[in-house]
Amino acid sequence: MTTQEIVAFVRRGYDAYNAHQSDPHWLDYANEDVAEDGEVVVIPFGMIFRGPEGYKQYLSGQTAAFPDGRVEVTNVFATAEQAVVEFSVCGTHTGVLHSPVGDIPPTGRKFELRFCDVYQLRNGKIARLATYFDALGFMQQLGVIPTPGQAS
């Protein structure tokens, strides 16, 4: 794949996520884009999801917790077998969020957070996707962890 094709390839996933409220087939791209032995690693939470079904599980969990969630891609950098995507996500916590320490019930709080995804590609598919974000800031925005200096 050329770097232009890789940029279009990774952007397709973010576009699909943004269509989750209107397109019942928005997750279908994962079947084509994720290698059977591919993995998605949520670095701050230490969670690993494997293959297309694991990726769907991860994304479905996010849209269940944040049904109004939206992504805005701010930068994409690509080479022949890798891509790095900077983006921001915003939404409202109105569903259960599954975390490594247990389920977090809806708080009704809005959040906006910057993320960085690092892709390793193999044969035109995602072999590994590592996602990085400020987990502490995220939990503070949701009201799960107090923000220093603010009354709880």
Side-chain angles (χ1 to χ4, degrees), residues 20-129:
H20 73 267
Q21 293 179 331
S22 60
D23 180 1
H25 304 289
W26 73 277
L27 280 173
D28 289 352
Y29 82 95
N31 291 329
E32 299 170 23
D33 291 3
V34 179
E36 285 300 318
D37 63 344
E39 64 181 19
V40 176
V41 183
V42 183
I43 299 296
F45 288 168
M47 299 171 80
I48 299 175
F49 299 86
R50 300 196 190 285
E53 291 307 313
Y55 191 38
K56 289 181 195 179
Q57 177 187 2
Y58 169 65
L59 292 173
S60 294
Q62 297 307 303
T63 57
F66 310 101
D68 65 343
R70 300 272 312 150
V71 171
E72 181 182 341
V73 174
T74 53
N75 283 306
V76 180
F77 306 94
T79 67
E81 295 179 355
Q82 298 177 336
V84 175
V85 181
E86 292 180 298
F87 61 102
S88 61
V89 181
C90 62
T92 310
H93 184 208
T94 57
V96 174
L97 175 62
H98 304 293
S99 81
V101 296
D103 290 346
I104 300 170
T107 63
R109 304 223 10 209
K110 293 186 179 298
F111 79 96
E112 184 169 349
L113 198 63
R114 294 187 54 93
F115 282 71
C116 182
D117 282 350
V118 179
Y119 291 83
Q120 293 177 349
L121 307 175
R122 182 179 66 240
N123 299 323
K125 293 190 181 248
I126 298 168
R128 184 172 192 270
L129 166 57

